[in-house]
């Protein structure tokens, strides 16, 4: 077989060709296995990145398996800092992956032009990649090829990790691992010592590669550049890189320490979780006044906060198991009899007290001001994470926690935009919580509030509001309203989380099948059916306004209405 460079030279340019539902616009890049094209998906009227396996490799089952492995690895990950996979398949003998098109450039292209990055850009980029790797680790996915070429950067500074072609997937249901052909895979310039040796690797290998990438970002070159790949791999194992503080006197010592720890030779000496990386990066004082990136990246994002929270939680649980595991079991046995007696006694006493003093609803607005119930945290990001981490089984408390995001942090300076964004997301999840509990009146209130926003200024939240209304209308057999929103929903289907996207696609698939007689709602054909469903209150209904007063949205909802009225 020819080598990769020869293969690339003989691969045809597919620009202008139509392949199934895709019209190829132009080629974006070439790789050792595949070419990537900008294409338009006609059915959904959206631009996508279409990765097509080289024809010279398409007859080799091992390369086809690796190609599909990339799609399987990335498709399992829904995260704002990971390039989203839409579809994998074969058309006209072309093996392809349809994925999110990210406008901008990869980090390698940026470094080719500017050589190095500022401290601010390095920190914000590392935070986002660390959040992505945390998500991958949660799903049992190890990337194994973290490098500048696989880190995409949008003009607003949003970072997305791409190319899971070398990823290893641990599948609990199959008790096996899907692995790229060969034992030692990756890019030698960024490969961890254990990966270079062909040894077993885990998520800490990705942390090492991210450290090497960080070094490259700041120094303008990788830490080790030898004449051969073998010599480079040996250097990663045996040599110490030149300190960044010598190469860049403007770099904070704290950042140098973080990069050094990420690049420790032994996995045990590195950060054990990506949340620890984010925690240390947050301690670095940044001057973003000269940066052009969006203000949204100057604060802690929900995905970063989740990684940070999970890291602290895992460490606390492990410490608790080590220190208290055996003693706790003994104590539980010793006091089990006493607890049983007290439980019976308190049951009868508590029942009498509860009968005389029934508790008010947790959604009562005066309770939301009680920080003993929903504590007020330091900033809106932490408040939002607290709401996310509240158990779904505590329905009313979780709604109150999301309302607290709005009440405790109304959209006023400083960080008005960040607060407004979190408030919008809180409103959407409040609507989804009500919807899941079949509290359709309350759910409609949240979704209509979002759908009244200006679609050009707040497109994400506007269409999430529309999507919520589709769920409600379909649940109540209001098919005409569902069909009326179809064009907007399907045009923007890729902005929704995977679970919501599946529900929406399933709804419209069911409707299409009903039209052909495959299945259907028994009431749909009767024009007189469904009148009882028209009783859902409108915004002008008194009970509808009363619902908002009860939910305690207060000043935040008024601010939202002012925004939508502007």
């Amino acid at each position: 077989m020819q080598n990769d460079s020869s293969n690339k030279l003989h691969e045809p340019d597919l620009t202008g060709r139509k392949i199934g539902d895709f019209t190829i616009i132009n080629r974006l890049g070439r790789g050792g296995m595949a070419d990537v094209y900008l294409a338009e998906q006609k059915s959904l009227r959206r631009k996508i990145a279409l990765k097509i396996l080289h024809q010279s490799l398409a007859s080799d089952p091992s390369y086809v398996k690796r190609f599909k492995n990339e799609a399987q690895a990335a498709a399992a990950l829904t995260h704002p800092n990971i390039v989203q996979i839409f579809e994998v398949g074969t058309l006209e003998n072309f093996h392809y992956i349809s994925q999110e098109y990210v406008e901008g450039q990869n980090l390698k292209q940026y470094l080719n032009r500017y050589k190095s990055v500022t401290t601010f850009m390095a920190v914000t980029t590392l935070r986002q990649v660390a959040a992505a790797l945390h998500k991958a680790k949660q799903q049992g996915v190890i990337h194994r090829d973290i490098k500048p070429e696989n880190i995409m950067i949008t003009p607003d500074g949003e970072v997305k990790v791409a190319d899971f072609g070398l990823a290893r997937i641990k599948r609990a249901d199959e008790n096996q691992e899907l692995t790229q052909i060969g034992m030692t895979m990756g890019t030698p310039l960024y490969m961890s010592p254990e990966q270079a040796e062909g040894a077993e690797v885990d998520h800490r290998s990705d942390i090492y590669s991210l450290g090497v990438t960080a070094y490259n970002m700041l120094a303008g070159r990788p830490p080790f550049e030898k004449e051969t790949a073998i010599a480079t791999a040996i250097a990663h194992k045996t040599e110490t890189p030149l300190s960044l503080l010598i190469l860049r006197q403007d770099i904070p010592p704290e950042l140098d320490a973080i990069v050094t720890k990420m690049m420790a030779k032994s996995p045990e000496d590195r950060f054990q979780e990506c949340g620890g990386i984010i925690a240390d990066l947050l301690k670095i004082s940044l001057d973003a006044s000269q940066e052009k990136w969006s203000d949204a990246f100057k604060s802690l994002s929900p995905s970063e906060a989740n990684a940070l929270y999970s890291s602290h939680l895992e460490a606390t649980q492990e410490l608790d198991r080590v220190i208290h595991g055996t003693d706790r079991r003994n104590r539980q046995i010793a006091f089990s009899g006493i607890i049983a007696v007290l439980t019976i006694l308190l049951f009868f006493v508590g029942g009498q007290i509860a009968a005389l003093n029934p508790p008010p609803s947790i959604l009562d607005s005066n309770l939301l001001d009680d920080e003993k119930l929903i504590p007020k945290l330091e900033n809106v990001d932490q408040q939002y994470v607290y709401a996310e981490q509240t158990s779904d089984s505590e329905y009313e408390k979780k709604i109150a926690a999301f309302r607290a995001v709005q009440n405790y942090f109304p959209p006023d300076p400083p960080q008005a935009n960040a607060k407004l964004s979190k408030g919008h997301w809180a409103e959407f999840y409040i609507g989804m919580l009500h919807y899941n509990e079949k509290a359709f009146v309350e759910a409609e209130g949240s979704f209509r509030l979002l759908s009244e926003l200006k679609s050009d200024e707040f497109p994400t939240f506007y269409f999430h509001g529309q999507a919520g209304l589709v769920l409600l209308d379909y649940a109540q057999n209001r098919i005409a309203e569902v069909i009326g929103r179809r064009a907007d929903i399907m045009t923007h289907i890729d902005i929704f989380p995977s679970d919501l996207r599946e529900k929406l696609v399933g709804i419209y698939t069911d409707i299409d099948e009903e039209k052909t007689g495959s299945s259907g709602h028994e009431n749909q054909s009767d024009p007189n059916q469904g009148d009882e469903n028209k009783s859902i209150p409108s915004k002008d209904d008194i009970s509808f306004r009363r619902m908002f007063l009860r939910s305690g949205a207060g000043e935040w909802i008024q601010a939202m209405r002012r925004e939508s009225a502007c």
Side-chain angles (χ1 to χ4, degrees), residues 470-477 479 482 507 510-511 514 521:
V470 167
L471 298 180
L472 287 175
D473 288 335
Y474 189 73
Q476 298 167 96
N477 200 26
I479 304 302
V482 175
I507 285 173
D510 288 345
I511 291 175
E514 290 166 8
H521 291 270

Side-chain angles (χ1 to χ4, degrees), residues 361 363 395-396 399 403 427-448 468-469 471-473 475-476 478 536-537 543-544 547-548 550-551:
S361 168
L363 295 180
Y395 164 60
E396 291 192 337
I399 290 176
R403 281 285 179 231
E427 192 65 44
F428 173 72
Y429 286 112
I430 288 170
M432 290 302 297
L433 287 165
H434 284 313
Y435 166 80
N436 291 333
E437 292 293 320
K438 293 182 169 43
F440 292 154
V441 173
E442 288 84 351
E444 186 168 13
S446 293
F447 294 144
R448 286 201 182 279
L469 292 175
L471 298 180
L472 287 175
D473 288 335
Q476 298 167 96
R478 300 188 293 203
I536 298 297
S543 63
F544 195 82
M547 182 272 291
F548 275 108
R550 176 174 171 268
S551 68

Side-chain angles (χ1 to χ4, degrees), residues 153-173:
I153 305 175
T154 72
D156 289 331
E158 186 178 11
V159 173
K160 290 179 180 285
V161 177
D163 199 349
F164 281 76
L166 303 187
R168 189 190 70 183
I169 314 171
K170 179 68 175 179
R171 297 202 170 191
D173 57 333

Side-chain angles (χ1 to χ4, degrees), residues 65-66 69 72-73 139-142 144 166-183 198-203:
K65 182 178 179 180
R66 171 185 164 186
N69 178 43
Q72 292 171 340
Q139 299 295 319
V141 176
I142 305 168
R144 303 205 306 169
L166 303 187
R168 189 190 70 183
I169 314 171
K170 179 68 175 179
R171 297 202 170 191
D173 57 333
E174 298 178 4
N175 195 29
Q176 65 177 344
E177 293 178 354
L178 298 178
T179 319
Q180 142 72 10
I181 306 108
M183 295 178 61
E200 181 71 18
V201 299
D202 57 22
H203 66 282

Side-chain angles (χ1 to χ4, degrees), residues 512-565:
D512 289 340
E513 291 177 350
E514 290 166 8
K515 290 180 179 179
T516 59
S518 298
S519 61
H521 291 270
E522 295 179 358
N523 296 333
Q524 186 180 349
S525 59
D526 187 348
N528 296 319
Q529 287 287 347
D531 289 343
E532 60 188 15
N533 294 321
K534 305 295 184 181
S535 61
I536 298 297
S538 66
K539 276 185 58 179
D540 297 324
D541 192 283
I542 294 176
S543 63
F544 195 82
R545 293 197 298 272
R546 187 175 297 153
M547 182 272 291
F548 275 108
L549 291 174
R550 176 174 171 268
S551 68
E555 295 180 0
W556 188 87
I557 282 187
Q558 295 175 16
M560 278 191 68
R561 286 175 172 161
R562 287 196 298 270
E563 288 287 338
S564 62

Side-chain angles (χ1 to χ4, degrees), residues 149-359:
E149 292 92 324
N150 291 334
I151 298 174
M152 305 298 297
I153 305 175
T154 72
D156 289 331
E158 186 178 11
V159 173
K160 290 179 180 285
V161 177
D163 199 349
F164 281 76
L166 303 187
R168 189 190 70 183
I169 314 171
K170 179 68 175 179
R171 297 202 170 191
D173 57 333
E174 298 178 4
N175 195 29
Q176 65 177 344
E177 293 178 354
L178 298 178
T179 319
Q180 142 72 10
I181 306 108
M183 295 178 61
T184 303
M185 302 303 300
T187 304
L189 286 173
Y190 304 93
M191 195 183 297
S192 69
E194 63 270 24
Q195 188 176 357
E197 291 179 336
E200 181 71 18
V201 299
D202 57 22
H203 66 282
R204 294 173 296 182
S205 179
D206 284 346
I207 289 177
Y208 181 93
S209 298
L210 181 57
V212 178
T213 299
Y215 189 102
N216 191 3
M217 278 196 291
L218 293 163
R221 60 173 177 79
F224 307 113
E225 292 181 292
K226 305 297 182 179
E227 292 183 358
T228 66
I230 294 177
T232 301
I234 293 174
H236 279 287
K237 179 71 175 178
T238 61
E239 297 184 16
T240 300
L242 188 64
S243 171
L244 285 171
L245 297 178
I246 297 176
L247 300 172
R248 288 274 301 269
Q249 297 182 358
D250 61 319
I251 296 176
E254 298 88 347
L255 182 55
D256 173 66
I258 292 170
V259 176
T260 300
K261 185 173 181 178
M262 293 168 71
M263 292 175 56
K265 305 298 184 186
S266 171
E268 287 72 23
D269 295 332
R270 299 171 202 153
F271 288 95
Q272 300 303 292
E273 298 291 341
C274 287
I277 300 173
I278 296 173
D280 282 4
L281 289 170
L282 287 171
K283 298 174 184 177
I284 298 176
S285 178
L286 297 176
D287 179 11
S289 60
Q290 302 301 317
E291 298 290 339
K292 297 181 180 180
W293 284 6
S294 167
D295 288 343
F297 298 100
K298 299 174 189 175
S299 59
L300 188 65
S301 72
S303 58
E304 293 171 322
N306 181 52
L308 182 62
Y309 172 87
S310 298
S311 175
H312 289 318
L313 181 62
E314 290 171 5
T316 302
Q317 290 174 336
E318 179 63 25
L319 181 63
D320 185 64
R321 284 192 293 268
V322 171
I323 296 177
H324 300 296
T326 304
D327 291 340
R328 181 183 289 111
R329 288 192 294 271
N330 292 336
R331 288 197 299 271
Q332 287 176 340
I333 295 171
F335 289 103
S336 59
I338 297 173
I339 292 173
V341 173
L342 289 175
T343 299
I344 295 171
L345 179 63
L346 290 174
F347 175 80
F348 286 107
V349 175
Q352 296 299 317
I353 295 174
L356 297 174
N357 300 283

